Amino acid sequence: MRKFSGLCAALILGLATASCGGSTGPGGGGGGGGGGGGGGGGGVCPANTVCATASNSFSPAALTVTAGTTVTWQNDTGTLHNVTWNDAAGRTAATAGDGSGDITDFTGSHTRLFSAAGTYAFHCTIHPGMNGTLTVN
C-alpha cells in the first residue's frame, strides 16, 4: 500500500508540474508556462509599450523612454480603457502618433510620440486608481 501511495503522489506531482509549465526545455531553460500576453493574462508588455491589464492597472505603471520615442498603449483585455493626461503638459507632449493628447475609450492600441523631456502622469477615467507615469529623458 505504501508503494501505491508513493506512486500516486509522484503521478499527481508530475501532472501538476507539467500543467504549470514546469518542464525543462532544451539547454536547461524553462519550458514556459501559462500567462499569455496582452490580454491581461500576465504576459510581458513589449518595449516602449504600456499595457492595460484585466485587473484595471497599467503595466508597467512607470515607463521611462528617451526623447523622440513613440510609445504604444495596448489594450487587449476586452474592457474599455482610456489614457487621460493629468495636466496640460502631458497632453501637449503626447504628439504625432496615431493621434495626439488624450486617448479616448479604446481597445487595441494607440501611439503617441514624445519629444519633450519631462515626467507625465496619466490615468484611466473609467477605472479609479488606474494610474501611470511616463518619464521622457
Side-chain angles (χ1 to χ4, degrees), residues 1 21 24 43 52-53 72 90 96 99 101 109 120-121 126 132:
M1 186 67 173
T24 301
T53 71
T72 301
S109 64
Y120 309 109
I126 302 169

Side-chain angles (χ1 to χ4, degrees), residues 9-26:
L11 180 62
I12 290 169
L13 180 61
L15 288 172
T17 301
S19 69
C20 292
S23 63
T24 301

Side-chain angles (χ1 to χ4, degrees), residues 7-136:
L7 180 62
C8 286
L11 180 62
I12 290 169
L13 180 61
L15 288 172
T17 301
S19 69
C20 292
S23 63
T24 301
V44 175
C45 231
N48 301 325
T49 302
V50 177
C51 292
T53 71
S55 60
N56 295 332
S57 62
F58 289 113
S59 177
L63 178 66
T64 300
V65 299
T66 58
T69 299
T70 297
V71 176
T72 301
W73 276 265
Q74 182 173 313
N75 176 13
D76 296 329
T77 66
T79 300
L80 286 178
H81 293 291
N82 60 49
V83 176
T84 302
W85 298 100
N86 288 7
D87 56 32
R91 206 165 289 112
T92 301
T95 64
D98 59 6
S100 61
D102 295 338
I103 300 172
T104 58
D105 300 356
F106 76 104
T107 58
S109 64
H110 287 282
T111 60
R112 298 292 186 264
L113 173 66
F114 292 87
S115 298
T119 299
Y120 309 109
F122 57 90
H123 62 281
C124 174
T125 61
I126 302 169
H127 302 102
M130 189 172 177
N131 304 305
T133 304
L134 175 68
T135 301
V136 180

